[in-house]
Amino acid sequence: MPNYVYLKGKVKNCRPHFVNKWNKYAAILYPCAESLEQIRDLQAEGIKNQLKKDEDGYYLWINRPASKEYQGRVKGFAPPEVLEADGKTPLRDVNIGNGSDVTMVMEVYGYNDPSSGKKGKAMRWTAVKVDNLVPWDGKRDFSEDEKERIQEVDKQEPYF
């Protein structure tokens, strides 16, 4: 039976509906103080997800693969569920802007490291509840990778 944790904080580059160049749905979570402690406790238990720090504070790169290969077979994963603040109503066709307050639902799972044979633990993004939506702004909220791709498109000559 899966074990779930709920992490609260603010997000940046939250893309629950789009797959990035690494074949993952991804977001950056800046956890609140309580969730930061929860993450540190999970790391003490062996979770491999790493906290990093930038000018905005501590953050955790959260992701969910779009697909994975198991024993030669590809298994697809549905995108993370996106819910309104009530935690029940699906939030559809809305982009989540940087600075939105959210609760991330993370599945804690065990795995076997094929190179060392050791067991480990990790977290996988399963859902996000948007507690306070900051409207998405294309000029502000694109990730660096997305900005680079857009600049390349702008340089292209028209077809016609």
Side-chain angles (χ1 to χ4, degrees):
M1 178 139 191
N3 179 25
Y4 294 97
V5 295
Y6 302 87
L7 304 174
K8 292 181 177 245
K10 293 193 178 287
V11 289
K12 190 187 273 186
N13 301 331
C14 187
R15 303 291 187 266
H17 304 296
F18 302 100
V19 177
N20 65 17
K21 67 182 180 181
W22 297 285
N23 192 39
K24 294 181 180 190
Y25 305 100
I28 298 172
L29 176 69
Y30 290 86
C32 67
E34 182 181 310
S35 291
L36 184 59
E37 280 304 311
Q38 192 176 4
I39 293 166
R40 288 185 172 142
D41 289 344
L42 288 165
Q43 288 176 326
E45 293 173 15
I47 292 286
K48 296 294 181 193
N49 305 72
Q50 295 180 1
L51 279 170
K52 295 182 180 180
K53 190 174 184 180
D54 65 11
E55 65 277 356
D56 295 325
Y58 285 101
Y59 69 91
L60 186 67
W61 191 66
I62 291 179
N63 65 73
R64 176 180 185 81
S67 63
K68 251 187 165 178
E69 188 173 322
Y70 294 101
Q71 298 175 346
R73 292 186 177 171
V74 176
K75 176 184 177 182
F77 289 96
E81 292 290 326
V82 181
L83 304 169
E84 289 188 18
D86 65 10
K88 298 175 185 172
T89 309
L91 189 59
R92 305 220 189 277
D93 302 322
V94 173
N95 290 319
I96 302 169
N98 290 352
S100 294
D101 294 303
V102 301
T103 302
M104 293 287 192
V105 181
M106 306 293 293
E107 178 185 1
V108 177
Y109 65 95
Y111 66 91
N112 294 319
D113 185 339
S115 60
S116 68
K118 294 182 180 179
K119 294 182 183 249
K121 281 185 180 180
M123 293 187 295
R124 178 185 304 129
W125 185 18
T126 61
V128 57
K129 180 177 70 120
V130 182
D131 301 314
N132 180 36
L133 179 66
V134 172
W136 190 83
D137 178 351
K139 292 181 181 176
R140 178 196 68 213
D141 293 341
F142 278 123
S143 69
E144 292 305 315
D145 180 54
E146 290 166 330
K147 287 178 187 174
E148 287 176 20
R149 287 186 278 168
I150 290 168
Q151 288 173 352
E152 291 301 315
V153 170
D154 286 343
K155 294 176 188 175
Q156 300 300 314
E157 292 294 322
Y159 252 173
F160 40 91

